[in-house]
Amino acid sequence: MLTQIIFRQGRTFLTDDECCMLNVKSFEELVSVSLSQAEWLLDRDIVRCTLELQQNLQYFDILPSCIKTVLVDMCFNIGITKLMKFKKTLGYISNGDYDKASHEILDSDYCSDVKGRALRNSIALSTGKFVELEVCKQMWNELKGRV
């Protein structure tokens, strides 16, 4: 799961707390982070998000790996509080209707804010696998052409 998220993130952004752990005052002051430091920070975020999802979604542990990864990614990006407001999406996921859940993601402010990420997560929900961004864009254009 860590490798999938690193691949999908492309770049790691740090919170103020994480900057303090690296002994810098702010992200702007941070010149570089070693790969091992970035992996350590990302690993901590993944564990935190996973724990928050386990505490908030009783069904989280029985979900397919790909669906868990989508939820961890969304939690990492928007936080557990905002993610829990995706009532329809989470309802569809809890019922195993991943295709409807993927449509809900595309019909959200989240999609407007982070189009590429939302598109990848939507496709992962409906297909059960992650694809590269260029493939996502191609799939998106094909879908728009059918409407």
Side-chain angles (χ1 to χ4, degrees), residues 123 127 131 134-144:
I123 290 170
T127 65
V131 294
E134 289 306 313
V135 175
C136 290
K137 289 178 183 177
Q138 181 182 3
M139 292 171 80
W140 177 253
N141 290 330
E142 288 173 12
L143 281 173
K144 286 192 324 188

Side-chain angles (χ1 to χ4, degrees), residues 59 63 88-98:
Y59 54 87
L63 292 171
K88 286 183 183 179
T89 304
L90 295 173
Y92 289 135
I93 289 172
S94 72
N95 292 326
D97 196 343
Y98 307 126

Side-chain angles (χ1 to χ4, degrees), residues 34-35 41 48 50 59 102 105 109 117 124 137:
S34 71
L35 179 59
L41 291 169
R48 176 186 50 80
T50 301
Y59 54 87
S102 75
I105 285 179
D109 290 339
R117 179 183 227 144
K137 289 178 183 177

